[in-house]
Amino acid sequence: MSSKEIFYYWFYAICFVVSVATGIATGFTGDSHIPPLPFAIEFFTLVIGFIFFINDMKHAKPIKAHQIGLTANGSVMAFVLLLAII
């Protein structure tokens, strides 16, 4: 495993854990017009992750860390959005 892959795994794992922890601590739903904290964390995580993914697609084959990380963090984002719809 290259140092780039290790960095990606840690980036996605830390963002996932922080997002879930803040969701448990502060709630996954917002009480006002401000989105909940896990939504904000996941929004920036997914944007940065997609930039990393596109950059890696240009230079080499996709790294499995992107597939796992974007799926896991995207599922937290989908959960928060689902709670907002209900």
Side-chain angles (χ1 to χ4, degrees):
M1 197 179 312
S2 69
S3 60
K4 183 190 274 190
E5 288 178 282
I6 294 170
F7 169 75
Y8 290 147
Y9 277 117
W10 277 106
F11 169 73
Y12 289 124
I14 288 170
C15 291
F16 180 79
V17 169
V18 169
S19 178
V20 170
T22 57
I24 291 171
T26 62
F28 286 99
T29 59
D31 294 331
S32 65
H33 297 291
I34 299 172
L37 193 54
F39 179 85
I41 293 169
E42 291 300 333
F43 178 79
F44 290 114
T45 300
L46 292 176
V47 169
I48 293 168
F50 277 119
I51 292 170
F52 286 155
F53 177 69
I54 291 170
N55 189 30
D56 284 342
M57 287 290 289
K58 289 180 183 177
H59 300 296
K61 64 179 185 172
I63 298 174
K64 191 161 186 98
H66 292 302
Q67 297 167 350
I68 295 169
L70 290 173
T71 302
N73 287 297
S75 64
V76 174
M77 175 69 90
F79 179 72
V80 172
L81 289 175
L82 180 67
L83 291 176
I85 292 172
I86 295 177

